[in-house]
Amino acid sequence: AQTVTQSQPEMSVQEAETVTLSCTYDTSESDYYLFWYKQPPSRQMILVIRQEAYKQQNATENRFSVNFQKAAKSFSLKISDSQLGDAAMYFCAYGSNYKLTFGKGTLLTVNP
Amino acid sequence: GAVVSQHPSWVICKSGTSVKIECRSLDFQATTMFWYRQFPKQSLMLMATSNEGSKATYEQGVEKDKFLINHASLTLSTLTVTSAHPEDSSFYICSGRSGRDGNIQYFGAGTRLSVL
């Protein structure tokens, strides 16, 4: 079974600074997807970014980018120019056969 | 992104009663819908997967007779918690995936169930 590990239960960042959230996963599959979802206090899950495992190029969405290291099974999220609205729980997720396996989450606090 | 509506957002019921939660995909056809359970300050745990017109597939440890899932159309799935007990109190979240970009799941806003 696939497992997703987020080793940082909590992180904090100053507004306008950069923060990196860590995620590692374990799988024996070669074809899969990786995701970062954000869950703000409203508890609505919002897709932040997606990475296809077969792509070597790291995905980027505006201020959000990933560092995907397939051999190391690592998938970190970098948030640049952090904003107060970025404060949320961030979940790393592994996707295969249309199912998602989530990590335990990292609670991100943004300090003004 | 695609929109998934979940209703109700919060429900309180008495022990022994049944509660139905609806999940609708508003602007896409959800080939598959998923139901998750989330305990406070914890991650999402997949309960079951449902394909339109087929019986749901439940994850190990999930009681299919307690959590009845119906996916009657490409835009509607329902989760019924039967004979609810206080231990069923939790946050339930649905998601749907379309056939176009099947690897992305779009989530509803969740339902908080409180069983007294």
Side-chain angles (χ1 to χ4, degrees):
Chain A
Q2 291 78 25
T3 58
V4 178
T5 302
Q6 293 179 250
S7 59
Q8 307 152 316
E10 297 184 20
M11 291 282 285
S12 64
V13 63
Q14 290 295 127
E15 195 175 3
E17 297 293 309
T18 296
V19 64
T20 298
L21 308 184
S22 301
C23 173
T24 59
Y25 59 95
D26 188 23
T27 184
S28 58
E29 297 176 331
S30 58
D31 186 19
Y32 54 89
Y33 289 73
L34 296 163
F35 303 85
W36 279 98
Y37 278 91
K38 166 185 176 181
Q39 187 178 42
S42 68
R43 304 190 78 171
Q44 170 76 59
M45 294 286 285
I46 301 167
L47 177 65
V48 175
I49 200 164
R50 173 181 67 157
Q51 174 80 43
E52 293 90 340
Y54 63 86
K55 288 186 177 180
Q56 292 186 338
Q57 187 172 7
N58 289 323
T60 299
E61 286 288 340
N62 300 314
R63 298 182 295 106
F64 300 88
S65 62
V66 298
N67 183 3
F68 174 46
Q69 301 291 326
K70 190 171 184 178
K73 295 180 183 174
S74 170
F75 182 62
S76 62
L77 174 70
K78 185 171 82 172
I79 306 174
S80 304
D81 186 26
S82 297
Q83 301 176 359
L84 295 177
D86 295 333
M89 181 71 86
Y90 285 81
F91 291 100
C92 177
Y94 172 98
S96 176
N97 295 321
Y98 307 125
K99 284 188 178 181
L100 294 179
T101 301
F102 288 90
K104 292 189 175 182
T106 296
L107 180 63
L108 178 66
T109 303
V110 181
N111 301 310
Chain B
V3 179
V4 173
S5 173
Q6 189 171 340
H7 180 80
S9 58
W10 193 4
V11 58
I12 302 173
C13 69
K14 292 183 179 180
S15 185
T17 61
S18 295
V19 173
K20 180 183 285 188
I21 302 170
E22 289 189 350
C23 180
R24 294 181 183 272
S25 55
L26 298 186
D27 52 2
F28 70 101
Q29 292 186 324
T31 308
T32 308
M33 285 189 168
F34 305 85
W35 288 94
Y36 295 85
R37 184 171 181 176
Q38 185 179 30
F39 291 102
K41 298 186 179 181
Q42 293 192 26
S43 189
L44 282 71
M45 299 294 293
L46 179 65
M47 298 175 64
T49 302
S50 72
N51 292 296
E52 184 260 341
S54 302
K55 287 186 178 180
T57 302
Y58 291 82
E59 296 298 302
Q60 192 172 7
V62 177
E63 299 176 60
K64 61 174 121 180
D65 293 332
K66 165 164 280 296
F67 299 101
L68 300 180
I69 292 171
N70 183 274
H71 192 166
S73 76
L74 284 171
T75 59
L76 174 64
S77 177
T78 60
L79 168 67
T80 301
V81 183
T82 63
S83 187
H85 291 283
E87 57 265 30
D88 298 323
S89 298
S90 190
F91 193 68
Y92 294 89
I93 308 175
C94 72
S95 71
R97 72 165 190 95
S98 73
R100 288 187 178 182
D101 192 356
N103 291 288
I104 294 178
Q105 291 185 24
Y106 299 98
F107 287 82
T111 297
R112 180 188 297 181
L113 171 63
S114 299
V115 184
L116 305 178

